[in-house]
């Protein structure tokens, strides 16, 4: 009888391990059993495992997405926000998001997670910072469970509304006591710190311009008391820097340090405008960064100093950001964009295709505090992406393993915790077309 979650990936054309030695193998087998990589090597013989023929495939670790707002898949390409800068974009979308409820959160998360999976992503974070009409973070956690993705949701929050000088409308802010109470509930209910965990919960006040100093400080204390990670937006664009200087009298990096928001248990989204002293601070404290190149381009925020961060030793992962500011959630295209932007800023030799892929896999796992994911090695979790390089996107490529140069941009097969959630380019866990149809219905209702 076949063992559960037992597969033999046979004769892969290339295996990019992203292990400690960055080994690459050709004509190679990978045996996965009970959610773990059990063996690797040429010509493996295993009884009882389902064979997955991979002669035309490059195998990589599953990609890791370190920043997303899954609910925003319901508000792609909204006309009023298509050409706006960050603050104007938010003001356009806040009233629409205020009409969401539990179903909108659940369906949009399913769509966003499936989109990620089809682009090779096996582990994703999510930053949900508004909870209108009874919506809860639990709605997205249940969506991840149906899709089969490894999930790191964060309990976001906004507590300063327009009447108190903040950016969000008062209808979308919460009291700080409730925010902390709900964060504690979610951690106690859903957070699993064990190796191979499918759900880990983080604490994530939205941004310095939507919460108070007290909430930032109290959130850090709560997170460290419960041994969970911290996440927020930081130094996203020039408006962000100007706000910090005018309101707090310091740059965002100093603000974060003063409130305890640096360290290996913290990662910040964007960080486009970090200066040299802030990069040194993040490197010294091993504070992580979620680099979101497509969103930064879409909103005109700039090019994050990723080359300088990496050279200094800052942990850097990739994020697709929300689909209202990206308007897509394709992780392999995000990695390609990261590579191209660093070349635009620093020269054609500034970032190789393999380094960008490393940031998208091993780098993201480090940022999210996962030493059990992000590489292909015996004993690691069986999170694997199989890319068929026999199609038109790779035709004529002299180096199919340089995926970010010549494609493909979607996976043939995807394994998460040893479970095949994408097979031959199709989701195996949900009725994706049915979910898409329902999402489109909800989007039409919101647009009326």
């Amino acid at each position: 009888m076949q063992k559960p979650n037992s597969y033999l990936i046979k004769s892969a054309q290339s295996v990019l391990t992203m292990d400690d030695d960055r080994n690459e193998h050709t004509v190679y087998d990978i045996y996965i059993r009970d959610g773990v990589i059990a063996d690797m090597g040429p010509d493996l013989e295993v009884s009882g495992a389902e064979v997955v023929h991979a002669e035309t495939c490059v195998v990589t670790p599953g990609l890791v997405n370190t920043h997303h707002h899954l609910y925003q898949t319901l508000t792609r390409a909204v006309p009023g926000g298509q050409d706006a800068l960050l603050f104007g974009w938010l003001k356009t979308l806040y009233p629409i998001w205020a009409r969401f409820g539990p179903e909108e959160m659940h369906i949009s998360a399913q769509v966003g997670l499936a989109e990620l999976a089809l682009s090779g992503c096996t582990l994703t974070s999510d930053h949900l910072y508004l909870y209108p009409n009874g919506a809860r973070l639990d709605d997205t956690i249940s969506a991840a469970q149906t899709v089969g993705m490894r999930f790191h949701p964060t309990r976001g929050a906004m507590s300063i509304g327009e009447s108190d000088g903040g950016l969000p409308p008062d209808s979308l802010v919460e009291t700080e006591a409730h925010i902390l109470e709900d964060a504690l509930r979610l951690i106690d209910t859903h957070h699993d710190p064990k190796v191979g965990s499918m759900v880990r919960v983080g604490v994530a006040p939205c941004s310095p311009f939507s919460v108070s100093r007290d909430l930032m400080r109290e959130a850090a204390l709560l997170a460290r008391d419960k041994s969970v990670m911290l996440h927020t937006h930081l130094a996203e664009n020039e408006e962000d820097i100007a706000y910090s200087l005018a309101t707090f009298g310091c740059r965002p990096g100093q603000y974060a340090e003063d409130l305890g928001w640096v360290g290996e248990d913290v990662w910040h989204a964007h960080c486009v405008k970090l200066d040299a002293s802030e990069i040194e601070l993040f490197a010294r404290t091993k504070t992580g960064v979620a680099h979101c190149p497509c969103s930064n381009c879409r909103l005109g925020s700039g090019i994050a100093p990723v080359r300088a961060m990496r050279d200094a030793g800052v942990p850097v992962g990739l994020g697709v950001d929300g689909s209202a500011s990206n308007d897509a959630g394709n992780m392999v295209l995000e990695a390609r964009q990261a590579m191209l932007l660093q070349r635009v800023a620093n020269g054609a030799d500034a970032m190789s295709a393999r380094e960008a892929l490393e940031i998208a896999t091993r780098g993201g796992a480090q940022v999210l505090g996962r030493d059990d994911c992000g590489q292909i090695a015996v004993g690691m979790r069986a999170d694997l992406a199989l890319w068929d390089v026999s199609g038109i996107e790779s035709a004529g490529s002299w180096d199919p393993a340089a995926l970010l140069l010549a494609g493909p941009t979607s996976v043939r097969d995807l394994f998460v915790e040893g479970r095949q959630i994408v097979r031959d380019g199709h989701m195996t866990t949900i009725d994706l077309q049915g979910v898409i149809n329902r999402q489109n219905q909800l989007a039409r209702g919101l647009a009326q």
Side-chain angles (χ1 to χ4, degrees):
M1 179 181 293
Q2 180 178 322
K3 297 177 182 178
N5 292 334
S6 179
Y7 293 91
L8 179 62
I9 298 172
K10 193 68 177 171
S11 302
Q13 182 180 123
S14 300
V15 177
L16 308 183
T17 67
M18 297 300 166
D19 64 10
D20 292 344
D21 297 319
R22 308 304 190 268
N23 285 309
E24 298 184 12
H25 305 289
T26 57
V27 193
Y28 212 66
D29 302 343
I30 304 171
Y31 174 43
I32 58 181
R33 182 184 65 234
D34 298 334
V36 175
I37 299 172
D39 199 3
M40 300 168 54
D43 301 319
L44 293 182
E45 294 186 8
V46 178
S47 62
E50 180 179 338
V51 175
V52 178
H53 293 284
E55 292 86 351
T56 62
C57 293
V58 172
V59 184
T60 70
L63 309 187
V64 179
N65 179 36
T66 60
H67 186 64
H68 207 332
H69 307 294
L70 286 167
Y71 75 92
Q72 292 181 11
T73 60
L74 256 174
T75 50
R76 302 191 214 242
V78 172
Q82 287 182 19
D83 304 312
L85 298 177
L86 175 63
F87 283 16
W89 172 85
L90 284 169
K91 285 184 172 294
T92 297
L93 288 163
Y94 278 143
I96 300 172
W97 295 336
R99 297 168 59 194
F100 280 31
E103 185 184 12
E104 285 80 4
M105 295 301 185
H106 182 82
I107 293 292
S108 60
Q110 283 187 313
V111 170
L113 290 163
E115 183 180 17
L116 287 170
L118 292 167
S119 73
C121 181
T122 53
L123 164 61
T124 184
S125 66
D126 184 41
H127 189 189
L128 182 58
Y129 51 82
L130 45 82
Y131 300 89
N133 306 309
R136 304 192 303 168
L137 192 64
D138 311 67
D139 302 322
T140 61
I141 293 172
S142 64
Q145 290 168 339
T146 63
V147 173
M149 290 280 285
R150 202 181 297 277
F151 199 36
H152 198 136
T154 60
R155 206 304 179 177
M158 298 187 294
S159 65
I160 300 178
E162 285 179 312
S163 62
D164 292 320
L167 199 65
D170 290 346
S171 63
L172 286 178
V173 302
E174 304 170 276
T175 67
E176 297 187 353
H178 172 73
I179 290 164
L180 295 169
E181 179 183 337
D182 194 50
L184 183 61
R185 176 190 70 82
L186 287 159
I187 294 165
D188 289 343
T189 302
H190 297 290
H191 180 70
D192 179 4
K194 295 192 297 293
V195 172
S197 164
M198 293 297 289
V199 180
R200 291 187 182 174
V201 176
V203 179
C206 183
S207 63
F209 52 80
S210 60
V211 299
S212 70
R213 287 177 182 264
D214 285 343
L215 182 60
M216 293 290 286
R217 190 177 291 109
E218 290 299 320
L221 292 172
L222 170 64
R224 289 184 172 124
D225 180 62
K226 302 297 288 185
S227 298
V228 302
M229 296 191 71
L230 287 159
H231 183 51
T232 193
H233 299 90
L234 201 78
E236 185 168 352
N237 66 3
E238 292 292 354
E239 289 177 289
D240 204 337
I241 302 298
Y243 182 92
S244 183
L245 291 171
T247 307
F248 309 126
C250 63
R251 288 185 56 87
Q254 183 64 55
Y255 178 80
E257 185 178 27
D258 290 347
L259 296 177
W261 275 74
V262 293
E264 293 183 9
D265 58 349
V266 182
W267 85 103
H268 294 284
H270 301 295
C271 297
V272 174
K273 298 299 180 180
L274 291 190
D275 67 12
S277 67
E278 290 166 321
I279 291 173
E280 189 279 329
L281 168 67
F282 278 32
R284 173 166 42 85
T285 57
K286 297 303 178 186
T287 304
V289 169
H291 173 44
C292 306
C294 290
S295 174
N296 295 340
C297 289
R298 161 79 155 74
L299 292 173
S301 300
I303 302 173
V306 172
R307 182 72 275 154
M309 292 181 195
R310 293 266 297 170
D311 291 346
V314 176
V316 178
L318 285 184
V320 300
D321 202 8
S323 292
S325 66
N326 182 324
D327 301 281
N330 185 305
M331 268 297 292
V332 74
L333 290 179
E334 203 72 40
R336 175 179 170 83
Q337 186 80 340
M339 174 189 70
L340 295 178
L341 284 179
Q342 293 310 300
R343 292 179 176 216
V344 167
N346 303 296
D349 59 351
M351 182 169 288
S352 69
R354 282 170 170 80
E355 183 181 7
L357 186 64
E358 179 182 324
I359 294 170
T361 53
R362 187 184 177 106
Q366 180 188 5
V367 165
L368 295 183
R370 299 298 298 243
D371 58 7
D372 55 350
C373 304
Q375 57 179 294
I376 301 174
V378 173
M380 300 293 289
R381 310 316 295 183
D383 292 5
L384 303 170
L386 277 65
W387 310 86
D388 189 344
V389 293
S390 65
I392 191 168
E393 289 175 291
S394 302
S397 173
W398 287 33
D399 183 10
L403 287 168
L404 304 187
L405 293 177
T409 57
S410 59
V411 290
R412 191 194 76 178
D413 303 303
L414 190 75
F415 293 85
V416 181
E417 190 68 5
R419 182 185 185 192
Q420 192 173 17
I421 71 168
V422 178
R423 184 190 295 260
D424 295 327
H426 300 282
M427 298 297 303
T428 66
T429 51
I430 59 171
D431 172 15
L432 182 56
Q433 191 57 58
V435 172
I436 291 170
N437 291 344
R438 181 55 182 154
Q439 167 125 315
N440 287 334
Q441 290 175 348
L442 293 171
R444 287 193 293 270
L446 290 166
Q448 292 176 353

